[in-house]
């Protein structure tokens, strides 16, 4: 495929707001996870990745109806690294109707509905606006209006692959001429539904998540927002080189045990990029910290890369940010290229002996030109991205 | 952007399948509202069928209707599942459970609550590992789904199923999201014309304009009462094998001009 330039990007996670704050914690090896104290929860023994200052965010007055935790997080994330200004400039230069907005989210503003039910579950309160807060599309609508774009606009919601798949949809929309540039991103925020829901599936770790460790015991749930600006510019160091999407055709909440769907997504992404697996310098793994995901993913990665390519999960820092994981981990991949540093797989103490992949327990300083980023979701929805310098 | 429609699936009150609905869509038979029966997905294994919600059943109903007379290789088909709000009944049940002191969320309800639940079940049922995505654009969901599916079909050069569906939210959500009837529609899109092709679609963005109403007067109220039913004017043209142009209006997306040319 013809690569697309990533001319700007930003991320906000529990590590901090913006690229520098996030990368600083990666370099120091400091997690952003803490024991769960979200909302009024007292009965869940788990760790969370909460973004600081979300509730202090005030949305633009004209978008007051969008006020909910998820859109406050979107607004906080948009303002980092000068992204908002650069996006607005791009929209002015291309024309508003030529810029698309593609946002991934898993639960959008569902916490607002949880609050409305807790307040009055028989007749929902007047302050509750379903359309502009909870609805899956609310965050895409909010971002589009906050930036002033008027091109194609969708929310993609394929659970934990959502904000990786935005790159594929944006590429296609630009290739068919629906738009000339795209703002892609993902935002997901803490809520009772995911904290209690993943708990009911016994997928939540009582400890900080430890991806690929022999004693890993599940995920830590995080929240995050991130965005990227995609343009057709010919030369940029940071480009979208390939994407691959696949289904597992296996189970609603467990990955294919041999990682067959994951393998297909990675192979397709490499094929679209026109690259062999040995061109990849770093793999940002989905690496959630569940027994099933890490076992399946390592099998698929081992088949393509063996132990030749450094592969780590950054979820030990941020937790699993669900619908935002794709954009957050794409951003870590881009930062890895900029800083020529492979992040460690944080909290990995004793690698599972069945994992035949190259898991770094400490950061590795080396040239990083091309990165593969994996995102896999419930329903067997897989997406891999290849990012880096033009081939 | 040009693509071909090879097959259609449909389910709405009084329009229980594409074949059953043809006389109404052609204006040859009066529309009579009649509630849909609960659908049993044929392709789902028994285990998954038990867990399938009303929303997933609606998605399967229209996809299976589309495949009924079309021997396509389903494992090769990409898919776009588009729903403005997803599984309202499941969201309602989870939010109610979270109001109880124990906050016991059912694991099955939780995995059914993801917006891509129908896509997941569909992949399991058909064995398809082809790309699939699940989207929402609120009331623009039909137009946005059509653009997403047409782009997927054209760029990846894959036959692509587009399923667009919304079901009635239960109270108290209904008061905040008033969708008053269930509606589902599915199209099989192809990048190339074949003997099966029903119509060619040419999609072009346009400046703001009002959407084209349904030709059958009784269906115009239905068109406005469910985001998936914005497809009715297109369904009428395909059913009538009529050439024509229609506008899909939108709030957050450009208006789409759809030029329909029947295939011989």
């Amino acid at each position: 495929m013809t690569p697309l330039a990533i001319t700007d990007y930003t991320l906000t996670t529990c590590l901090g707001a913006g690229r520098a704050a996030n990368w600083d914690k990666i370099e120091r090896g400091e997690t952003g996870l803490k024991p769960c104290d979200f909302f009024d929860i007292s009965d869940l023994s788990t760790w969370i990745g909460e973004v600081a200052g979300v509730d202090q965010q005030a949305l633009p007055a004209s978008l007051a109806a969008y006020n909910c935790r998820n859109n406050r997080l979107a607004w906080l994330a948009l303002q980092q690294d000068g992204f908002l200004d650069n996006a607005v400039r791009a929209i002015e230069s291309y024309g508003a109707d030529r810029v698309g907005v593609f946002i991934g989210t898993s639960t959008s503003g569902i916490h607002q509905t949880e609050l409305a039910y807790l307040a009055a579950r028989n007749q929902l309160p007047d302050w509750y606006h379903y359309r502009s807060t909870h609805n899956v599309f609310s965050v895409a609508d909010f971002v589009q209006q906050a930036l002033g774009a008027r091109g194609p606009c969708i929310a993609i919601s394929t659970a934990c692959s959502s904000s990786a798949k935005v790159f594929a949809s944006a590429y296609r929309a630009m290739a068919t001429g629906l738009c000339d540039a795209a703002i892609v991103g993902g935002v997901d925020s803490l809520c009772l539904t995911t904290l209690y829901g993943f708990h009911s599936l016994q997928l939540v770790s009582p400890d900080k998540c430890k991806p690929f460790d022999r004693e890993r015991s599940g995920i830590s749930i995080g929240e995050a927002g991130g965005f990227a600006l995609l343009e057709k510019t010919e030369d940029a160091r940071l480009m979208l080189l390939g994407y691959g999407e696949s289904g597992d055709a296996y189970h609603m909440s467990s990955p294919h045990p041999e990682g067959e769907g994951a393998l297909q997504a990675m192979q397709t992404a490499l094929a679209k990029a026109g690259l062999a697996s040995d061109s990849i310098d770093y793999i940002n793994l989905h690496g959630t910290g569940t027994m099933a995901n890490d076992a399946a993913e390592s099998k698929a990665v081992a088949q393509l890369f063996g132990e030749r390519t450094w592969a780590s999960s950054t979820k030990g820092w941020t937790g699993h940010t669900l619908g935002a994981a794709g954009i957050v981990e794409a951003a870590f991949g881009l930062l890895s290229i900029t800083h020529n540093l492979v992040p460690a797989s944080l909290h990995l103490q004793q690698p599972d002996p069945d994992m035949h992949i190259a898991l770094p327990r400490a950061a590795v300083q080396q040239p990083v030109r091309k990165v593969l980023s994996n995102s896999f979701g419930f329903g067997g929805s897989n997406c891999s991205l290849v990012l880096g310098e033009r081939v | 952007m040009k693509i071909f429609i090879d097959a259609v699936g449909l389910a709405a009150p009084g329009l229980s399948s594409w074949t059953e609905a043809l006389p109404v869509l052609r204006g040859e038979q009066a529309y009579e509202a009649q509630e849909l029966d609960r659908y049993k997905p044929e392709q789902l294994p028994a285990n998954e069928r038990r867990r399938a919600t009303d929303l997933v059943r609606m998605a399967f109903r229209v996809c299976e209707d589309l495949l009924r007379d079309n021997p396509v290789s389903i494992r090769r088909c990409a898919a776009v599942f588009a729903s403005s709000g997803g599984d309202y009944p499941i969201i309602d049940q989870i939010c109610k459970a979270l109001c109880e002191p124990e906050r016991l969320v059912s694991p099955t309800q939780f995995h059914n609550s993801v917006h891509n639940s129908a896509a997941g079940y569909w992949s399991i049922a058909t064995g398809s590992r082809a790309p699939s995505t699940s989207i929402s654009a609120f009331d623009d969901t039909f137009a946005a789904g059509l653009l997403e599916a047409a782009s997927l079909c054209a760029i990846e050069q894959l036959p692509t199923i587009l399923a667009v569906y919304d079901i009635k939210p239960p109270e108290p959500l209904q008061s905040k999201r008033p969708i008053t009837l269930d509606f589902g529609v599915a199209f099989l899109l192809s990048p190339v014309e074949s003997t099966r092709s029903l119509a060619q679609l040419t999609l072009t963005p346009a400046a703001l304009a009002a959407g084209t109403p349904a030709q059958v007067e009784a269906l115009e109220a239905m068109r406005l009462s469910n985001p998936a039913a914005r497809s009715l004017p297109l369904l009428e043209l395909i059913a009538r094998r009529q050439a024509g142009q229609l506008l899909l209006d939108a709030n957050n997306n450009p208006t789409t001009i759809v030029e329909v040319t029947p295939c011989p």
Side-chain angles (χ1 to χ4, degrees):
Chain A
M1 61 177 249
T2 310
L4 286 180
I6 301 170
T7 52
D8 196 13
Y9 71 101
T10 185
L11 78 164
T12 291
T13 73
C14 61
L15 297 175
R19 296 191 299 258
N22 275 272
W23 196 249
D24 180 56
K25 294 283 174 63
I26 295 277
E27 286 186 331
R28 291 163 185 256
E30 283 175 20
T31 185
L33 300 175
K34 62 171 183 178
C36 179
D37 59 353
F38 178 69
F39 193 55
D40 63 353
I41 295 175
S42 58
D43 54 352
L44 289 184
S45 163
T46 186
W47 293 60
I48 56 170
E50 182 179 14
V51 175
V54 173
D55 288 336
Q56 286 74 53
Q57 284 298 306
L59 303 187
S62 61
L63 298 173
Y66 291 80
N67 189 16
C68 66
R69 184 171 184 86
N70 206 57
N71 290 331
R72 288 194 293 271
L73 176 50
W75 183 236
L76 174 65
L78 272 175
Q79 295 173 84
Q80 307 309 313
D81 297 315
F83 187 86
L84 184 72
D85 293 340
N86 286 336
V88 168
R89 260 197 297 277
I91 289 161
E92 280 168 3
S93 95
Y94 286 98
D97 54 357
R98 298 304 302 161
V99 180
V101 171
F102 304 82
I103 306 295
T105 186
S106 173
T107 50
S108 191
I110 196 171
H111 187 49
Q112 199 72 2
T113 301
E114 296 169 355
L115 296 175
Y117 270 66
L118 284 167
R121 58 194 265 193
N122 294 319
Q123 189 173 4
L124 299 175
D126 289 340
W127 53 257
Y128 169 64
H129 305 291
Y130 166 78
R131 175 189 183 150
S132 49
T133 60
H134 173 170
N135 183 267
V136 179
F137 184 61
S138 152
V139 60
D141 182 5
F142 171 74
V143 170
Q144 188 195 36
Q145 295 205 46
L147 299 176
R150 281 205 316 273
C153 181
I154 56 169
I156 295 184
S157 189
T158 56
C160 308
S161 61
S162 303
S163 61
K165 287 170 80 77
V166 293
F167 286 89
S169 283
Y171 173 82
R172 288 189 283 259
M174 287 168 73
T176 53
L178 291 172
C179 53
D180 297 324
I183 286 130
V184 299
V187 187
D188 242 345
S189 47
L190 292 171
C191 59
L192 304 179
T193 300
T194 49
L195 282 161
Y196 285 95
F198 278 108
H199 181 72
S200 77
L201 288 166
Q202 298 179 310
L203 293 175
V204 175
S205 174
D207 197 358
K208 287 172 279 197
C209 69
K210 289 185 272 193
F212 300 96
D213 196 275
R214 67 197 300 175
E215 291 185 1
R216 66 191 181 280
S217 51
I219 65 172
S220 303
I221 295 175
E223 62 183 351
F227 301 94
L229 176 58
L230 303 181
E231 300 181 75
K232 289 180 177 169
T233 318
E234 297 265 322
D235 273 317
R237 182 156 190 228
L238 303 176
M239 303 196 92
L240 172 70
L241 301 175
Y243 61 85
E245 301 166 278
S246 74
D248 264 358
Y250 179 70
H251 191 269
M252 280 306 287
S253 54
S254 307
H256 188 287
E258 301 301 315
E260 286 178 12
L263 180 65
Q264 186 176 320
M266 290 188 283
Q267 284 170 327
T268 306
L270 288 169
K272 288 228 184 233
L275 291 173
S277 61
D278 59 8
S279 315
I280 300 296
D281 302 303
Y282 167 52
I283 305 163
N284 187 297
L285 298 160
H286 187 54
T288 59
T290 65
M291 291 310 276
N293 174 82
D294 297 359
E297 186 177 14
S298 71
K299 281 181 190 165
V301 170
Q303 210 168 318
L304 266 183
F305 297 93
E307 299 187 55
R308 299 183 304 277
T309 309
W310 287 119
S312 69
S313 164
T314 41
K315 289 190 171 67
W317 273 278
T318 60
H320 190 352
T321 60
L322 309 174
I327 189 76
V328 163
E329 290 160 29
F332 282 139
L334 298 172
L335 284 162
S336 169
I337 292 169
T338 299
H339 296 275
N340 286 307
L341 185 87
V342 170
S345 215
L346 192 65
H347 305 148
L348 179 67
Q349 288 164 328
Q350 292 178 292
D352 186 326
D354 293 332
M355 313 274 172
H356 304 292
I357 56 176
L359 294 160
R361 270 187 279 181
V364 181
Q365 195 80 52
Q366 65 162 47
V368 180
R369 294 190 185 88
K370 294 185 180 67
V371 169
L372 177 81
S373 182
N374 282 342
S375 298
F376 309 138
F378 268 17
S381 174
N382 309 307
C383 185
S384 297
L385 303 175
V386 177
L387 308 162
E389 290 173 358
R390 181 185 277 270
V391 181
Chain B
M1 191 166 22
K2 286 187 195 329
I3 37 123
F4 294 88
I5 290 188
D6 285 4
V8 184
L10 179 61
L15 306 172
S16 61
S17 74
W18 171 242
T19 310
E20 292 286 320
L22 283 172
V24 177
L25 293 167
R26 287 175 181 148
E28 297 163 0
Q29 188 182 304
Y31 172 74
E32 275 182 56
Q34 194 182 358
E35 278 303 303
L36 291 167
D37 300 332
R38 189 160 207 245
Y39 185 72
K40 275 194 193 160
E42 293 160 16
Q43 309 223 15
L44 263 185
N47 230 356
E48 268 74 27
R49 191 188 299 167
R50 264 200 313 278
R51 295 171 174 173
T53 64
D54 288 347
L55 186 80
V56 169
R57 286 165 197 267
M58 172 57 98
F60 267 71
R61 180 176 189 136
V62 292
C63 290
E64 289 178 350
D65 185 35
L66 164 154
L67 293 173
R68 196 140 288 129
D69 303 314
N70 289 280
V72 291
S73 167
I74 192 66
R75 291 168 78 115
R76 272 196 67 228
C77 289
V80 173
F81 291 86
S83 175
S84 85
D87 212 319
Y88 296 107
I90 291 289
I91 289 161
D92 173 63
Q93 287 166 39
I94 289 177
C95 287
K96 279 184 177 147
L98 291 170
C99 291
E100 302 298 330
E102 306 80 19
R103 293 188 177 163
L104 289 177
V105 173
S106 138
T108 302
Q109 280 181 6
F110 179 60
H111 81 225
N112 279 334
S113 75
V114 295
H115 198 69
N116 61 320
S117 59
Y121 282 112
W122 184 249
S123 168
I124 293 167
T126 59
S128 172
R129 293 212 172 117
S132 112
T133 194
S134 301
I135 70 153
S136 166
F138 203 66
D139 283 348
D140 301 354
T141 294
F142 173 63
L146 183 59
L147 292 175
E148 178 73 14
S151 301
L152 183 58
C153 178
I155 298 299
E156 312 298 345
Q157 289 286 300
L158 287 170
T160 302
I161 291 179
L162 165 65
V164 191
Y165 47 89
D166 260 283
I167 60 172
K168 285 179 297 206
E171 283 297 353
L173 282 172
Q174 172 76 228
S175 63
K176 297 289 186 174
R177 178 53 167 153
I179 292 175
T180 51
L181 51 83
D182 298 346
F183 194 102
V185 65
F187 297 95
L188 177 62
L189 308 182
S190 170
V192 288
E193 187 170 8
S194 73
T195 51
R196 283 199 306 273
S197 299
L198 302 171
Q200 184 189 59
L201 301 191
T202 307
L203 308 175
T204 327
L208 285 179
T212 306
Q215 298 186 49
V216 175
E217 211 175 316
L219 297 182
E220 176 58 8
M222 183 185 272
R223 181 180 80 91
L224 298 172
S225 61
N226 184 310
R230 305 296 197 276
S231 57
L232 278 165
L234 174 60
L235 294 171
E236 287 176 332
L237 286 181
I238 297 170
R240 292 166 192 229
R241 308 194 60 73
Q242 194 180 346
Q245 204 181 59
L246 56 91
L247 292 178
L248 294 173
D249 58 337
N251 296 306
N252 294 76
N253 281 273
T255 299
T256 302
I257 305 172
V258 184
E259 202 178 306
V260 184
T261 316
C263 292

